């Protein structure tokens, strides 16, 4: 994938994320459908597709892209996909699969047997890459 094509993919994924934030999943799916090869951003594309389908209450169709996203993102960064997947399984009446996805999203256990405290700040993926300070700090420049 050349630089120009990669930039197009990033723009489409950023647009899809924006549409999801605005609760416009149909437009998010249109942006995602225009991406023929997301390359190394495939996990993000799958996550957004699953979330858009989930937002349309199309839980059955959301399961496959969310499962792919959960597989492509390394733990613990796959927690968002796993929790969405759990909700979709639950909506489909697949309680055992929902419970398993939720358990897979749980933080790992430390040496004392207690869950490790993992503080992940969920930020819009492309907002961080845009140069905005996700913590709202002013630049010292």
């Amino acid at each position: 994938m050349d630089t120009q094509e990669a930039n197009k993919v990033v723009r489409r994924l950023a647009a899809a994320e924006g549409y999801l934030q605005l609760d416009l999943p149909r437009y998010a799916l249109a942006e995602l459908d225009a991406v023929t090869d997301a390359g190394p951003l495939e996990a993000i594309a799958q996550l957004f597709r699953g979330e858009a389908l989930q937002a349309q209450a199309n839980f059955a169709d959301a399961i496959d892209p969310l499962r792919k996203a959960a597989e492509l993102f390394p733990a613990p960064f796959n927690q968002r996909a796993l929790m969405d997947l759990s909700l979709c399984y639950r909506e489909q009446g697949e309680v055992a699969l929902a419970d398993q996805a939720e358990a897979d999203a749980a933080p790992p256990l430390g040496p004392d047997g207690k869950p490790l405290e993992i503080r992940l700040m969920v930020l819009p993926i492309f907002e961080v890459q845009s140069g905005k300070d996700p913590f709202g700090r002013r630049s010292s420049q």
Side-chain angles (χ1 to χ4, degrees):
M1 177 181 311
D2 66 10
T3 303
Q4 186 176 11
E5 187 62 30
N7 286 337
K8 287 180 184 178
V9 170
V10 168
R11 281 194 301 272
R12 293 230 181 251
L13 292 176
E17 181 178 35
Y19 285 130
L20 287 171
Q21 289 175 345
L22 294 171
D23 197 25
L24 298 169
R26 181 175 53 135
Y27 293 104
L29 286 170
E31 291 292 340
L32 294 166
D33 288 343
V35 176
T36 55
D37 178 15
L41 300 174
E42 185 63 27
I44 295 169
Q46 292 295 327
L47 177 66
F48 290 166
R49 181 172 300 284
E51 288 181 343
L53 291 165
Q54 181 181 4
Q56 293 180 323
N58 191 347
F59 302 108
D61 289 341
I63 289 172
D64 189 47
L66 289 171
R67 187 180 320 119
K68 287 177 186 172
E71 291 169 1
L72 291 170
F73 279 114
F77 303 105
N78 62 352
Q79 289 176 331
R80 178 172 160 180
L82 287 167
M83 291 307 292
D84 286 341
L85 185 59
S86 175
L87 184 143
C88 289
Y89 279 139
R90 207 166 300 286
E91 288 292 330
Q92 291 298 111
E94 299 285 347
V95 177
L97 290 172
D99 290 346
Q100 183 61 52
E102 192 172 325
D104 290 346
L109 298 179
D112 60 358
K114 295 181 182 177
L116 292 175
E117 186 175 329
I118 299 175
R119 294 186 181 169
L120 295 177
M121 185 172 186
V122 178
L123 299 170
I125 292 168
F126 289 101
E127 184 174 304
V128 174
Q129 293 180 356
S130 71
K132 292 182 183 178
D133 185 328
F135 302 103
R137 297 178 294 223
R138 294 182 186 257
S139 175
S140 60
Q141 297 174 350

